[in-house]
Amino acid sequence: MMEAVRRKCRRHVPAVSRYPHRDGVSAAMEVGSLPVELWRVILAYLPLPDLGRCCQVCRAWRELILSLDNTRWRQLCLGCPECRHPNWPSQPHLEPPSWREALKQHALAIRTWTRNGPELQSSACLFFFRRRKDRRVWHVGPGCEYETLRGALGVVGPYDRVVLHPGVYEEQAEVTLKVPVELVGLGRLGEVALLVCMEQQCPTARLCNLVFMPPWFSTVVYKTSWGHIQLDNCNFEGAQLQIRGPGTCQARFCSFSQGSSAHLLGVVLSLLDSCDFSGSDTASVTVEGPPVSERNWACKHLAALARTLPSGFHGSSRVAHACSTDETDPSGGNVKKEHVSMEDWKRRTGGDGACQGTVIDDGWSDAEHSEGEEENRDVGETDNIKKLRAADYKIPYDHHGLSDLLKPRADGSLPLASSSDPPSVIPEPLTLQQELERDPEALILASTLGCILRRCLFRDGKGGVHVSNYGQARLEENVFRGLNYAVRCIQNSTIVMLRNEVCECRASGVFLRLSARGLIAENNIHSNVEAGLDIRKGANPIILCNKIHSGLRSGIVVLGNGKGSIRSNLIYNNKEAGVYILFCGNPVVRGNHIFQGQAAGIAINENGRGMITENVIRENQWGGVDIRRGGDPILRNNYICYGYSDGVVVGERGRGLIEGNHVYCNKGCGVWVMSSSLPQLLGNYIIHNCMYGLAVFCRKDPENFEAREGNWPGQEGIGGDAGRGERRGVEGEGRDGQENFNEEGELFAWDSDLDSEDEHLCARRSVSVALVEGNCVSYNGVGIYVKSSEALNVFTNLVNSNHGPGIAVLQSTQLTRLVTNCILKNSRSGVTVEKDCRVELRGNGIYENSGYGVRFSGNGQILENDVVGNSGYGIQVSASTDIKVVRNRVQPAQGCGIAVLGPVKGVVHDNILFQGHPENQKTLLHMDPGNESCVLCNNSILRHNNSTSVPPWILENPPPRPLASSPACLSLSQYPSRHGVSKTTRVGATVESGCHSGSMFCSIL
């Protein structure tokens, strides 16, 4: 019949189409009197060689042959005895992009074992055909030439084929392969089983369609130390494959089950493609030892084959697709990169940008009004009051030192400090190609080969891949599921992971420790019981463009002097912190999107460090960034927004440089600071947060603390009373998982690690007092709220348009310094200082606030401030025991300029008081009668000349405060913090036995 088909094909060879306007294939084939559909039916019977000849007839025939992809090419591909479905074992239900291409790649792969010998170049194919002509086929089995495998191997010649008939072949001693040979099982896979231990002592060999089981005397069924072995469509059951360098291995469509494993020791290059590993007792694949310097003949061919095989071969690979930015999130929606509008956020969270009676302290609410303010609000703001506040009679102050932050940009848009809308654009994460172009080291790692595992499935066992002792491995498009761990890379080894899926591991997905390095890119790491990635003990990987989500603990954990560069990843919906840094972990975290976490976005604890820059941290349940217990990161140029709690939390003993961040639209505070911490907040935009822009709380404030803390995941595990008040959002404690600490003697090694990185210098000034400098605090509920037992420096900030007071100091047992700030257009007082607080106000500009300019009831100094255009009194001093009001310039819109109420002790001298509107006839300088403890002297009172309609005054010598020489007027690169380089003081954490009270030791893994 086939000969008849061939004759018919020759008889009806079509001419070139004369109808160029029609479809090329259809037109050309119909000229030969047969429709194209019938041609496809005829050609579907042809074997592979004849299909190749037909492709050479003409272009129309070639297009027709190629159009048979889903029929004849599919049949040929699945009909190969040594080949399985191209997407086996992880996705056999998915069609490949091209069955013909899959068959081509298979044909190239199965020929590797025959390509040894001298370089023949152009005569290579002739040499191959000569080998084929000289080859003999030997049959082994009952009734065949040889009944035992050992007997057949004793007579075979180079490159002969030994066909094993169905049966079980057992050898009682080790079998040696001394000449290149091909062993092929006849029939279906599983019908030929070998209980042997084979040692290869020849340059090359091939095993196909066989089942290997260990003999009674060894678990190793095949080993080689210098030759190349090719395995196609073989099963290993409870057996071990052992390859030692310079030996090499190529395995395709093989299964390793019932505790089987592959050991690659000192191997330079091997390729395991489309293999299934299940039920392992240890690691399924072990790559150990540095690659030997000697290379065998197969290395260059395997390298060429590795580069020839298409990366991302699966037609609709869920691994590659899951790492795209269009992947759907667990809630069913898309991962949003566009701006979330303020209205949508308020509607979803119930938040409100306006301060609606937020209770700040017992008996004090930011919705209450003081005496002078209530006068203005009894029946609303009358026309008369509007006249009093008319700009014609105000002293101009628009050219103060921070005015550039409020002026419209060149394109007419408003800067963030004066815009009533939050930022509308957030940066997108970079693609892998963009990251590789920017990082030469990552680009070199991306081309590293080593032991290659591609498109394999690792499932239902203890471990996936273990790389140790300077080993090198490359993992591409594998699936790791249901293991204790997926990948473990230790002891100066190198791992490259591209487009893998790591899920449902019972511990962490990927471990890197003991100075391991490598590239982990475009992987989908999710649903693991512990951290998605665990980096410690000097490991320093590059982690790019991964999707790390839905973990039952943290997304990434860096601890124990772990390093790493974590860039452009999507980290979301993890039960605990998206990135958790502790025990002197010091990674670079840049350009990631960390969102929708059920705890903090990033947590830095227990002396953790790190450079955290240019990330988008949004929509997390607790703090966007949580720093405490010696945590000392650099947090720079991040977008921390739309959180359901606070933006940045600096808890007990927290430190760090927090610079140039955009912290906005958080339901709690923009920045929450515990007074026992020592952060530096420089040049941040803290805007549109519902409660406070910046809140500094005292550690001993149980009501505010416990009311704000609530319960967070894992809180119940913190031991001792000292831990009960800890801030939410960090990892839970008291869980199992000690296995990860106990391995390799790491549990008690932290004390030796704490001081081992003195070369790490932090680019920040050394401080002994918390510093808030050069920030824009705008459109929050309250601008800056202080209830602290420690000293605090607040320098050169712009505090404007907040819905409550600009700055409220309710408790300050140590000195709080408010110096060279601009406080304007807040909905209540500019500065409020409560009783018994120690505060210094120096060089501030306090303008056009809806309440008092300064309401001061504490102790301290009010020196050299400009207080202009406020609705209430300019400066009200009451209940103070020791106060100095010196060299201020005050112009109230109405009411008194300076009012001293009650038994105040102090001095008020050398102030200049300007009258506001001419109709304001109230005393500009007022002191209650009978007060003999306060001294008024050398104060100047300037009133309007009735003959003029405009004020004759301007603020000069000096110009309006804050002065232009303040650091906030400099660019971020000019901050003094960038110039001072000093070692950050670290707190050593020593664990003597087990977990101590309040430790985070058992909270991770």
Side-chain angles (χ1 to χ4, degrees), residues 391 393-399 847 868 891 951 953-955 960:
Y393 291 93
K394 292 178 184 175
I395 298 176
Y397 60 86
D398 294 339
H399 54 291
Y847 306 116
V868 174
Q891 183 192 43
W953 312 301
I954 60 174
L955 299 178

Side-chain angles (χ1 to χ4, degrees), residues 98 115 162 376 414 590 646 804 833 867:
S98 169
R115 301 181 66 181
V162 178
N376 297 338
L414 293 176
R590 191 188 74 196
D646 305 325
V833 178
V867 186

Side-chain angles (χ1 to χ4, degrees), residues 330-352:
S331 62
N334 290 331
V335 175
K336 296 181 180 179
K337 295 296 184 295
E338 69 275 5
H339 165 62
V340 181
S341 70
M342 190 90 170
E343 290 73 16
D344 292 342
W345 176 73
K346 290 177 185 177
R347 184 164 52 252
R348 185 169 68 248
T349 64
D352 191 354

